[in-house]
Amino acid sequence: MAVEPGAMTDAERWFRERFSRTPQRDALFTTLSGEPVEPLYGPEDVGPFDERIGLPGEFPFTRGVYPSMYRGRLWTLRQFAGFGTAEETNERFRYLLDQGQTGLSTAFDMPSLMGHDSDHPRSEGEVGREGVAIDSLDDMETLFRGIDMGAVSTSMTINAPAAVMLAFYVAAAEQQGVPAERLAGTIQTDILKEYIAQKEWCFPIDPAMRLVGDMVEFCARRMPRWHPISISGYHIREAGSTAQQELAFTLKDGFTYVEQGIARGLDVDDFAPRLSFFFNAHIDFFEEIAKYRAARRIWARELRDRYGARDERSLLMRFHTQTAGVSLTAQQPLNNVVRTATEALSAVLGGTQSLHTNSFDEALALPSEEAVRVALRTQQIIAHETGVTNTIDPLGGSYFVESLTDSMEGAAYEYFDRIDQLGGMVEAIKQNYPQREIADASFRLQEEIESGERIVVGVNRYGQAEEREQDILRIPPELERKQIGRVQAARARRDSAAVEATLAKLREAAAGESNLIEPLLDCARAHATEGEIVGSLQQVFGTYTETPVF
């Protein structure tokens, strides 16, 4: 029924006559990112939205990238795994596959992430602590011993030396008789977010971007089942960003990689279908769902309208999600089971293609076997017991969710405009713009927690006087000595002259303009170590020095 001019709507009448006369509890009615949340949402908050949300598997893909979504196939159940040497992680991989995991996700230790060998002075005390130590082809072969690399999908979370690890992976598969064309999986490679948030780099920004372009080009031509970049908002969020900043900075990084591929002469449809994304599932349930829905819509529109993609696969934003490590608490760690389940459910309702659930003890140490099993069972319970996979996008059409999705999209475009005014994402990073925005957002949230305005259960409210000690996974110190012995033994039994010849050719190629992946593969096959390869490239590229944010 039409409302006469000047007359109150039902929602206005309800607010004045009903809601306003009811006391509200003292609470912070905002999203985790600080956006105000209204007491009620209705049609007037979203207007007609059928065209904006569309149908699953159809432009603009707000409701999902595939027509059948989880009625056709569940998301890939992954658990991030890696600790100690390749032998220990190989055992964990086999355990997870036996428990029903459907894809492998590899965590590397800090020396590997930074391009150092295990016997480098800066590696002392860090070998095998945060992930698995991979120094050379020998380690990569051991990591996948007994696992058919042509039959499993593998994700590798590494960025600055990603091209080196990809070379090790391809060479290890060759030893199994599996050609590069058959390999399926993803390597993160998102170097821009390293300068923004995670701070693990080997080279200055421009040559690092060249390596990314080399990988995209190589995979477009040689590895049709491989995703050469997982454009990552996860670490941007872990550094303290808001959901809006995670969305905007991640997408802008993605557009920058698209522009780089086009500038190299590649057709956007030759590589865009193999770009994937990696998002954080934080604790604010509806805000996260809106973020994923907005992300799909923006990506599809920009790839079609700005970058001229014609292949529908280029428009599909497929993404992996990991529950928020930063939301886990060392206090009352079993509460983290509930946090992780809530975050995982938001990822599923948001339409993720792949999911990792954090273990409840990860605020204390690398996850124990029991905690990993509970985390995996969390996904399996969501998949098989809750009923949320029975229908597609069950929250689509919710006034609240659609309004949040629209506002998330609007905030992202505001950030895009500011970044463009600075000269694009690379220039914005050099000027510390996203770094400052994240630092400010992180400071605001911490202030809310410390003041008690935002409640964190077990931390600033509902504490326990005494907590039982949690059994945690401890990495024996002898594993570091074992890995150092492995890398030194590998050097001793190889052909040193052949290694130096391949490293010299790599430096020569780096000084020119040719694609570096083939020279990197030659280095890997000759059993050059990661540190030797990175060091050779640094002789040509130099190293990176961060400028202060403030």
Side-chain angles (χ1 to χ4, degrees):
M1 184 174 66
V3 178
E4 295 182 9
M8 280 194 298
T9 65
D10 283 345
E12 290 170 336
R13 177 194 54 76
W14 169 86
F15 185 84
R16 292 184 185 182
E17 297 179 4
R18 299 283 186 175
F19 178 78
S20 296
R21 297 175 183 178
T22 307
Q24 295 187 70
R25 59 188 172 86
D26 184 17
L28 191 63
F29 294 110
T30 68
T31 68
L32 186 66
S33 299
E35 295 297 312
V37 176
E38 299 299 326
L40 184 70
Y41 288 79
E44 63 279 3
D45 295 298
V46 291
F49 54 71
D50 288 350
E51 186 175 329
R52 291 203 307 282
I53 70 172
L55 292 168
E58 294 185 2
F59 187 87
F61 306 100
T62 311
R63 307 199 69 183
V65 291
Y66 300 123
S68 61
M69 287 302 289
Y70 306 137
R71 284 181 70 113
R73 177 184 175 185
L74 292 174
W75 61 93
T76 302
L77 284 70
R78 295 188 191 275
Q79 287 303 118
F80 203 33
F83 64 94
T85 71
E87 285 97 342
E88 286 77 30
T89 301
N90 176 264
E91 290 177 13
R92 177 63 64 88
F93 278 175
R94 289 165 173 261
Y95 171 80
L96 289 169
L97 291 171
D98 288 343
Q99 294 297 311
Q101 182 169 303
T102 54
L104 296 175
S105 185
T106 312
F108 296 90
D109 68 357
M110 187 59 70
S112 298
L113 294 172
M114 299 296 293
H116 298 312
D117 289 337
S118 294
D119 57 353
H120 190 283
R122 291 187 179 178
S123 301
E124 184 176 357
E126 295 291 340
V127 176
R129 293 280 171 182
E130 296 183 359
V132 62
I134 300 294
D135 289 314
S136 69
L137 174 59
D138 300 73
D139 291 325
M140 191 67 80
E141 289 178 321
T142 301
L143 185 63
F144 288 93
R145 183 176 294 152
I147 299 170
D148 184 352
M149 296 174 73
V152 70
S153 169
T154 301
S155 172
M156 293 190 284
T157 302
I158 194 163
N159 296 280
V164 180
M165 284 300 166
L166 181 64
F168 288 165
Y169 190 80
V170 171
E174 289 173 351
Q175 295 299 311
Q176 288 191 6
V178 179
E181 288 76 11
R182 281 183 53 203
L183 295 175
T186 304
I187 192 163
Q188 196 162 95
T189 318
D190 182 2
I191 194 60
L192 290 176
K193 65 91 179 168
E194 292 297 331
Y195 301 108
I196 293 172
Q198 200 173 18
K199 314 299 184 183
E200 292 163 1
W201 49 64
C202 297
F203 315 110
I205 296 177
D206 294 324
M209 284 291 289
R210 172 189 171 181
L211 278 172
V212 173
D214 287 349
M215 291 180 67
V216 170
E217 189 174 35
F218 178 84
C219 291
R221 292 171 178 163
R222 291 280 312 279
M223 301 181 72
R225 302 179 65 208
W226 192 264
H227 297 269
I229 310 178
S230 177
I231 304 153
S232 176
Y234 186 85
H235 306 94
I236 290 172
R237 194 67 179 280
E238 292 287 288
S241 81
T242 65
Q244 293 82 357
Q245 290 167 349
E246 179 193 358
L247 175 66
F249 297 158
T250 305
L251 287 172
K252 198 63 174 175
D253 286 348
F255 298 146
T256 303
Y257 296 131
V258 169
E259 290 162 7
Q260 182 190 47
I262 293 171
R264 281 179 171 240
L266 295 173
D267 187 291
V268 64
D269 291 320
D270 288 341
F271 65 90
R274 281 179 293 281
L275 299 179
S276 65
F277 285 78
F278 175 21
F279 285 113
N280 193 297
H282 219 300
I283 195 63
D284 193 312
F285 187 74
F286 291 105
E287 184 174 54
E288 296 304 289
I289 293 167
K291 178 184 72 182
Y292 308 132
R293 299 172 89 251
R296 279 193 295 270
R297 193 155 76 198
I298 295 169
W299 183 257
R301 181 191 303 118
E302 295 301 305
L303 264 288
R304 186 190 70 176
D305 298 346
R306 178 177 297 194
Y307 299 110
R310 299 175 301 282
D311 187 338
E312 187 177 84
R313 295 175 305 155
S314 298
L315 313 184
L316 306 185
M317 170 179 273
R318 286 156 293 202
F319 63 95
H320 171 70
T321 313
Q322 181 175 339
T323 57
V326 74
S327 73
L328 304 181
T329 64
Q331 301 92 329
Q332 303 177 29
L334 286 177
N335 293 345
N336 295 329
V337 176
V338 181
R339 292 187 176 99
T340 294
T342 302
E343 294 164 356
L345 185 58
S346 75
V348 170
L349 292 175
T352 192
Q353 278 62 67
S354 172
L355 178 60
H356 165 89
T357 33
N358 287 330
S359 301
F360 65 80
D361 55 1
E362 287 192 59
L364 302 167
L366 287 174
S368 63
E369 198 167 274
E370 178 191 20
V372 168
R373 185 170 59 252
V374 171
L376 183 58
R377 295 290 181 257
T378 299
Q379 293 199 48
Q380 291 164 336
I381 289 168
I382 290 172
H384 301 295
E385 297 186 25
T386 62
V388 299
T389 60
N390 291 342
T391 192
I392 302 162
D393 189 28
L395 293 177
S398 157
Y399 299 132
F400 181 37
V401 169
E402 298 302 345
S403 177
L404 273 179
T405 302
D406 290 345
S407 64
M408 192 74 67
E409 181 179 3
Y413 275 99
E414 288 178 11
Y415 270 116
F416 296 163
D417 290 343
R418 287 179 226 162
I419 291 166
D420 287 341
Q421 289 169 14
L422 294 172
M425 198 58 178
V426 171
E427 197 56 40
I429 291 169
K430 291 178 180 179
Q431 296 178 39
N432 277 337
Y433 172 68
Q435 296 95 310
R436 285 195 303 272
E437 289 289 298
I438 294 169
D440 290 344
S442 178
F443 182 76
R444 285 193 299 271
L445 178 59
Q446 191 60 35
E447 275 191 321
E448 291 176 356
I449 294 170
E450 291 184 4
S451 68
E453 189 177 12
R454 187 171 297 278
I455 296 169
V456 180
V457 174
V459 176
N460 61 5
R461 188 81 65 90
Y462 313 115
Q464 277 179 215
E466 294 183 9
E467 296 188 31
R468 71 177 180 87
E469 187 174 345
Q470 182 72 40
D471 292 332
I472 60 174
L473 177 67
R474 301 182 188 278
I475 307 300
E478 56 265 24
L479 286 183
E480 180 164 331
R481 294 191 291 272
K482 176 183 174 183
Q483 181 61 23
I484 290 173
R486 281 178 59 88
V487 67
Q488 292 176 346
R491 289 198 197 101
R493 63 175 175 264
R494 68 190 184 180
D495 184 339
S496 297
V499 170
E500 185 47 49
T502 61
L503 292 173
K505 289 181 180 178
L506 175 64
R507 291 191 294 270
E508 181 181 352
E513 298 181 355
S514 60
N515 190 299
L516 296 179
I517 304 302
E518 287 292 352
L520 285 169
L521 280 167
D522 289 339
C523 291
R525 293 171 185 133
H527 296 269
T529 67
E530 180 193 27
E532 291 168 338
I533 295 170
V534 169
S536 288
L537 289 173
Q538 286 175 334
Q539 290 179 39
V540 181
F541 294 158
T543 56
Y544 178 73
T545 302
E546 184 180 28
T547 55
V549 174
F550 297 107

